[in-house]
Amino acid sequence: MSGSNRTDHIRLTSHPVPGAKHPFPIDWGAASARERGPIIATVSRPHDRNVIGSHGGSYSVYRALAVSSGALDPIRRPDLTNTHPAATIGPFPQWTEPARIVALDPWGHLVAENFGTEIAEGIDIRPTIAVTRARLDLPEIREAIALKRLAVDGTVVHGNGSVSVVKIAIDPVWHLPGVAQRFGTSETHLRRVLFEQTGGMYPELVTRPDRQVFLPPIGGTTVYLFGDVDKLPDHRTRITCRVHDECNGSDVFGSDICTCRPYLIHGIEECVREGQSGGLGLIVYNRKEGRALGEVTKFLVYNARKRHEDGDAAAAYFERTECVAGVQDARFQQLMPDVINWLGLSRIDRFISMSDMKHDALVAQGIDIVERVPIPDELIPADAHVEMAAKKAAGYFSTDIPLPEDLTDTVGRPLKKY
């Protein structure tokens, strides 16, 4: 039987059956995984589905291509043998407070343990979180060791310069009523706009009000923990944290037009130091490229800034973004604190960030921030000083980072100082 024949029975949309009771109801915020119910986004058994969307976030389209090409059997289910978490995370009290976590499934890494019977019976229940252990090998960390800013301890930092981490991948799982509340809108309006702005990709957003959970086609989050993860439940544990939004050009390729990689590396170094001191370091890496506007928009903005008379000066830095994209920043950090609550944290001792948007979102969700740490001036690339000046002018936290007197932009014009 061909792949297309197997899925011919899937309708373009569905509607709730009056009075029908779903075999797998979801009670968001319930006291246990079984009481909450499994997240079932299967496309091979539509009668089991209890959410909108499908697993894999933005990668679900690649899965469709694999099925279309014949490389993947559309009804194949993953074999979860030996995939259980490599470190214990939770449960924590925040998992059962419905308003605390609305953008991820707090039980998503414990699917095989909690729903093994149902999986064995053929129900397609899949993890949305994976927890593993790894080592990072970064040239800047080796340099920090050589300069004696970091020491080899054999547990966190090893003799070859690598760093031990617990690494956590998280796919987005949105509880639509909670997301709407977090953004101060109605669930009905949120559903309608999601339906319209995805070109009608998910009609069940408007036809299935009984399905309150949505797996959006967006990138997820990766968490890196430095130190003894068993100390997470101990509220006396000092926490150093950087929340970092993706910047492929800088983070991966080292572009010097912004401070993203330098700030990320600085955050990692501070997290390593915290882990070595008996606390925990935490890097939260969110897939929100180009202020969640994407790299195409980002590069268009670069061109507009450098070709406009005042475009590469601090005063016009964010204005150029708004001219191209219609908004200066689409990251909207309201959902970001969920991962901090998922880790059971109520306090961050050292927050390695200048962003008021991130700080305020965390505080609004009950996270106490003791100290805010800006990027050291010596780590700012010459071509990125205009970005820092613009951020300071826009209200970013700062301890008064100075600008060199003779600083020029990328085409040799003197930079305006704000």
Side-chain angles (χ1 to χ4, degrees):
M1 183 183 292
S2 69
S4 60
N5 289 336
R6 288 193 187 101
T7 56
D8 281 344
H9 62 283
I10 296 179
R11 294 174 291 176
L12 292 177
T13 189
S14 62
H15 300 268
V17 177
K21 184 178 180 180
H22 198 282
F24 301 103
I26 294 176
D27 181 11
W28 197 264
S32 69
R34 295 202 64 83
E35 292 173 273
R36 198 288 308 278
I39 301 296
I40 306 177
T42 177
V43 295
S44 60
R45 292 169 56 117
H47 53 283
D48 291 339
R49 286 172 58 83
N50 60 4
V51 303
I52 302 166
S54 63
H55 286 295
S58 58
Y59 295 97
S60 60
V61 175
Y62 288 103
R63 185 173 66 244
L65 288 176
V67 171
S68 177
S69 68
L72 175 64
D73 183 343
I75 64 172
R76 185 189 182 280
R77 292 189 299 276
D79 179 355
L80 300 178
T81 303
N82 292 328
T83 63
H84 56 276
T88 300
I89 305 292
F92 296 110
Q94 292 95 321
W95 293 16
T96 59
E97 299 176 29
R100 290 281 189 186
I101 299 177
V102 301
L104 60 88
D105 172 12
W107 308 97
H109 56 313
L110 301 172
V111 163
E113 293 86 336
N114 288 309
F115 300 106
T117 300
E118 288 81 359
I119 292 172
E121 292 173 351
I123 308 301
D124 191 0
I125 307 171
R126 305 190 183 195
T128 57
I129 298 175
V131 183
T132 191
R133 292 185 182 272
R135 289 192 184 183
L136 305 184
D137 188 2
L138 298 165
E140 293 94 338
I141 295 299
R142 292 198 298 272
E143 180 184 8
I145 295 170
L147 295 174
K148 302 187 184 307
R149 294 200 308 268
L150 290 176
V152 173
D153 63 291
T155 302
V156 179
V157 179
H158 301 276
N160 63 355
S162 65
V163 177
S164 289
V165 294
V166 167
K167 189 163 60 170
I168 306 168
I170 304 174
D171 278 344
V173 178
W174 288 3
H175 182 237
L176 291 171
V179 172
Q181 183 180 26
R182 193 76 63 85
F183 280 88
T185 187
S186 70
E187 182 186 348
T188 299
H189 180 66
L190 174 64
R191 286 171 172 268
R192 172 62 62 178
V193 173
L194 285 170
F195 171 71
E196 292 173 348
Q197 293 301 313
T198 57
M201 185 182 297
Y202 298 97
E204 288 178 323
L205 286 166
V206 292
T207 65
R208 294 302 301 264
D210 58 316
R211 292 186 178 174
Q212 296 188 330
V213 175
F214 175 44
L215 276 56
I218 60 175
T221 297
T222 309
V223 174
Y224 296 84
L225 287 165
F226 303 78
D228 184 356
V229 177
D230 290 339
K231 292 183 177 181
L232 263 180
D234 186 347
H235 295 299
R236 297 170 298 178
T237 303
R238 276 180 53 88
I239 303 295
T240 290
C241 173
R242 170 151 180 83
V243 175
H244 190 91
D245 292 329
E246 178 182 26
C247 176
N248 184 61
S250 179
D251 296 343
V252 178
F253 292 99
S255 170
D256 65 354
I257 199 170
C258 63
T259 58
C260 294
R261 182 178 173 92
Y263 217 163
L264 175 60
I265 295 297
H266 176 61
I268 291 173
E269 184 174 332
E270 292 298 319
C271 286
V272 169
R273 190 173 291 111
E274 189 68 77
Q276 290 183 310
S277 302
L280 274 172
L282 168 63
I283 298 291
V284 178
Y285 194 91
N286 293 309
R287 298 315 191 280
K288 296 180 179 178
E289 177 63 61
R291 298 176 176 266
L293 298 168
E295 266 196 320
V296 170
T297 295
K298 183 180 188 177
F299 290 5
L300 293 174
V301 170
Y302 286 166
N303 289 344
R305 274 176 40 205
K306 293 180 179 183
R307 290 169 178 162
H308 191 275
E309 181 181 356
D310 294 317
D312 210 25
Y317 187 90
F318 294 118
E319 179 186 340
R320 291 296 95 202
T321 303
E322 189 167 358
C323 287
V324 175
V327 64
Q328 292 186 3
D329 194 329
R331 287 174 295 177
F332 304 114
Q333 301 289 350
Q334 286 93 326
L335 302 179
M336 174 270 292
D338 285 28
V339 67
I340 306 299
N341 279 316
W342 178 69
L343 291 167
L345 302 176
S346 59
R347 186 194 72 256
I348 294 173
D349 295 279
R350 302 186 72 233
F351 187 49
I352 315 297
S353 173
M354 298 172 64
S355 169
D356 287 344
M357 187 184 293
K358 294 174 184 175
H359 170 274
D360 295 349
L362 288 164
V363 171
Q365 291 303 312
I367 310 297
D368 182 30
I369 294 179
V370 179
E371 178 188 2
R372 301 173 69 181
V373 182
I375 185 172
D377 182 52
E378 63 270 17
L379 297 183
I380 302 174
D383 204 25
H385 274 278
V386 64
E387 175 200 36
M388 300 309 299
K391 287 181 174 180
K392 289 170 61 178
Y396 274 52
F397 169 77
S398 170
T399 53
D400 193 24
I401 297 173
L403 294 178
E405 290 299 322
D406 59 349
L407 193 66
T408 59
D409 64 19
T410 55
V411 293
R413 298 171 305 199
L415 283 178
K416 299 179 180 180
K417 300 177 177 63
Y418 295 88

